[in-house]
Each structure stands twice: as C-alpha cells, then as structure tokens.
Amino acid sequence: MTPDPQVVQVVTICVLVYFVLLNGGYLMLNFLAMFALRRRSQEAVLDDLPQVYSALEPPISILVPAFNEEATIATSVRSMLQLSYSEMEVIVVNDGSSDRTLQVLIDEFALVPFPEAYRIQLETKPVRAIYRSTRFPNLRVIDKVNGGKADSTNAGVNAARYPLFCCVDADSILQRDSLQRLVRPFLRDPLMVASGGTVRIANGCEVRGGFLTRVGMPRNPWALFQVVEYLRAFMFGRLGWSVINGMLIISGAFGLFRKDIVVAVGGYNPKAIGEDMELVVRMHRKLRVRGIPYKIEFVPDPVCWTEAPEDRKVLRNQRIRWQRGLSESIAANWGLVFSRHGGVVGWVALPFFILFEWLGPVVELFGYAFMAVAWWQGWVSWESFAIFLFVAIGLGILLSAFGLLLEEISFHLYPRASQILTLAAVVVVENFGYRQLNSWWRLVGLYKWARGGEAKWGVMTRKATWQRDL
C-alpha cells in the first residue's frame, strides 16, 4: 500500500528540519566554545610562569564515593593525595563494599578507627565507622551501610570540613594541577557555586604511582568510540553551554561545589540514577526561584582520567542509565521550563535538551527508518535521500571533526600523529552504526523510565590495565 504523497512529503520535511535544527544547535555550541577557548588561550600565557600559592585559595574537601573498587582505589587515592594545592582533605566513603575495598585502604594507608563528631546535615544510611590515616593526616575514610553513590556523597558532604568540595569517582586519576585550575572560577567570581572539569578516557594510557605518565589510545573499539564521544561532549557541548551560564550537568566524576549551596538545595537525591545532573538542574531551579544570583562554569583545562567500559553489555547499561537519569532530571524540574524565573536555563538549555537529548532517540531512529524505507520503496527521490544523509550523517561527521580540531589546537593531549589519524578515522566510522546504536540504547532508557520501576546501576567491571606500580 502506497502512502499519500503529501503525507510522505510533510514527514520528510519534518525529519529534515529536525536534523538541521539538531546539528545547527550543536554548531552554535561549537562557535560559543571557540569564543571561550580563544579567551582561555589569552589567559593561558600565564600558565607557563611558576605557580605559587597565594594563601588565598579556599580549602577543598575531595569526596571519593567507593563501592567495590578494590582494583583502582589505592592508585586513585594516592593520586589525589599528591595533588598540588595549598590546603585540602581527602574523604573516601566506602559505601558498604562487598569486596576488599575497605581492607585495601586500611593496608595501603595505615588506617585506624578515629572517633570524631559527625554532623548530619543531609540524611544518609548509617555510618558504621570513621578511620584516619596514620601516614597522611589529611586522609579520612568513612565506612557506611550501602545506599548508592548519591547517598555516600551526601555522607562525604556531612563529614567535609571545608567550604568547597570536589566529587571524584573512585576509579579516576587527576592531573597534579587539577584543583588549582578547577578552583579558578571561584577565585575570579564570588557568584560561582559550581565548576566542572574535563573527563577523558584512561584506557590505553599508563599510570604510575597515581599519576598519568603516558597518554595512549585504547585498542578496544568500544573504548575508542568513547574517546571521540567524550571529546565532543566536553569540548563544545559543556563548554558552549557554560559561556551563557546554561550548563545543566557537571560530571559526577569531577566537579567542584560550594558546600553551603548544595546543603541548602537538599544535597544529592539518593533516588535519582542521574544524581549529578539532577543536582545541577535543581540548583538552577531553586536558586532562580529564590532570586539568588549565581554562576556555574565548565573549565576545560583540568583533566580527570577515568576508565571507560570495554564490554558492549556494560556500555549499553551505562547509556540506558544515563538516559533514565536525564529523564528524571527533566521531569523533577519541569517547572523551570519557560517559567518567568527560567532565564537561559528555562528558555534555552532545558528546551534544547528536551527536544534533542530527551526526545532525540525517538525522532532520530524514526527519521533513519522512515527515510531508508521511503527511498527503498521509491516514495522519495534519491536527491531527497542524499540531502538527508548529508544533514544526518555528514553534518555529524563535521561536528565531531570540529571537536577534534578544537582539542588539537587548544590542548594537544594526544602527541603522536598516528593517534590523531586514528581519532580522525573514528570520527567518520562512528557515524555508521555506533551513533545509531547509541540512540537505540537511549530509546530503551527512555522506555524504561516511562514504564517506571526501580533503576539499578548494575556492575561496572574495572580492569585497571592502565595502572602500574612504581
């Protein structure tokens, strides 16, 4: 049965317009990111000068929620203890691990039980014990009943002594000057309430003694795709939104927050599977409703290296969780959309995320399927199908290439020409299967959120092949 030609024409036009708006929006973020990077390059002239402490830097509490992280926890904590910063403390929260995470910490850092006052500002699962290191006076470990990452982060916030806290994943490796760079927005602007850094893929790299010693490329194809994906998301996604104070997410793997603001808005939501995004969107909503001026900024310089999943099933579960987390964040803060207090977030950022990130999997997969069938059945001309391929795939390649170019010009983290050529090839190849598969996983996540039911994090196996002892 041949459909009505007018209906086909209308649907074709709608699909093309959607993909044009989608890629056009990302192109605008590209230009905003270029503006931010140009400003950064002018400020970066001072980076080559010797870095000294002014004694004016605010002290920072580094919070490390950990659940079954025995393979990576020692290296990560060692990395954080050696960061270059004037005054900081490291608080590891063992969230009821069933493996040897706590024992590894006790053995590695000579922990002993330490009775201390624990002020409960945010409700959490019960704390069983607090330990202090006899080797590192600024290291404490909280052992608590399992309650999830958000719950354990809240426990860390309760124990934090300093006005700023930095939340870091237990499998992450920070560059030595990461805190110095991440705190700069707070030194520059008193309205700053949160800042986020860049997250990069550690697979294929080499870490010795808690520090990255060699930047490499993963051999696993799933991890290789994620290198380009992360580069695109951070280099022009979050950087572009940051320029107009519309950033909706600070990665749970690496973010710096004002403790009093986080406590005032209720802390991390233990029931949210995307607790990092939900907190930031809720901060936007509550601060705008209360009329409190604020800023949230993305800082591209500080880098956090983390292990990416190399198994298709684990990656699939991760992307399903991310989409459910996005859905929860939007639904819980829907009142900000087009509200009189909304500003850039309510009138631009959230509508963009709703149309292109939240509902994107539905429209994108429908668009691919409809155009392929319509061309195969002769309902649309080859010219129309070619225009669709250019808009949907060609512009996607162009945007990813743009992100790679920004990375190479601004940071040049991948030093060898072969690495750049490999990434350039991935930029092209990922558009023929991987991105569509990713859209399918996101669609599954959207369906599971709509259906309801309890969301589970599942298991993320850490191989830690990129770590080496001294």
Side-chain angles (χ1 to χ4, degrees), residues 16-80:
L16 290 175
V17 167
Y18 179 85
F19 276 94
V20 167
L21 292 175
L22 170 67
N23 290 297
Y26 286 134
L27 189 60
M28 288 302 299
L29 291 176
N30 255 313
F31 288 126
L32 290 173
M34 285 181 61
F35 170 78
L37 288 174
R38 181 184 177 185
R39 185 177 59 188
R40 173 210 165 266
S41 65
Q42 295 170 347
E43 298 173 350
V45 209
L46 303 176
D47 289 350
D48 295 331
L49 299 176
Q51 300 295 311
V52 295
Y53 297 113
S54 65
L56 298 176
E57 293 88 1
I60 295 175
S61 300
I62 302 177
L63 310 184
V64 190
F67 175 72
N68 290 352
E69 300 283 359
E70 63 175 319
T72 60
I73 190 66
T75 300
S76 297
V77 173
R78 198 180 302 119
S79 164
M80 294 165 202

Side-chain angles (χ1 to χ4, degrees), residues 139-267:
L139 171 63
R140 285 179 291 156
V141 173
I142 297 174
D143 183 34
K144 61 179 287 293
V145 175
N146 179 263
K149 184 179 178 181
D151 187 81
S152 56
T153 306
N154 285 338
V157 172
N158 287 337
R161 297 173 177 173
Y162 297 143
L164 299 181
F165 73 86
C166 180
C167 187
V168 182
D169 278 353
D171 65 326
S172 299
I173 298 294
L174 301 181
Q175 292 186 178
R176 190 182 290 270
D177 62 351
S178 294
L179 283 187
Q180 286 178 288
R181 295 179 181 273
L182 194 60
V183 80
R184 286 178 183 173
F186 289 86
L187 301 177
R188 185 177 65 247
D189 195 327
L191 298 180
M192 200 64 58
V193 298
S195 65
T198 300
V199 178
R200 297 293 180 94
I201 302 300
N203 307 53
C205 300
E206 185 176 287
V207 172
R208 291 184 181 274
F211 287 101
L212 188 84
T213 56
R214 181 182 62 82
V215 176
M217 299 289 295
R219 296 182 179 181
N220 180 278
W222 296 111
L224 198 55
F225 283 132
Q226 291 172 79
V227 171
V228 172
E229 198 174 16
Y230 274 55
L231 189 152
R232 182 174 58 244
F234 285 93
M235 281 308 297
F236 71 78
R238 298 186 189 180
L239 185 55
W241 285 118
S242 176
V243 174
I244 56 176
N245 199 29
M247 193 166 67
L248 296 182
I249 181 171
I250 290 178
S251 175
F254 191 33
L256 186 63
F257 296 85
R258 266 181 54 182
K259 177 183 173 181
D260 61 331
I261 295 295
V262 171
V263 171
V265 301

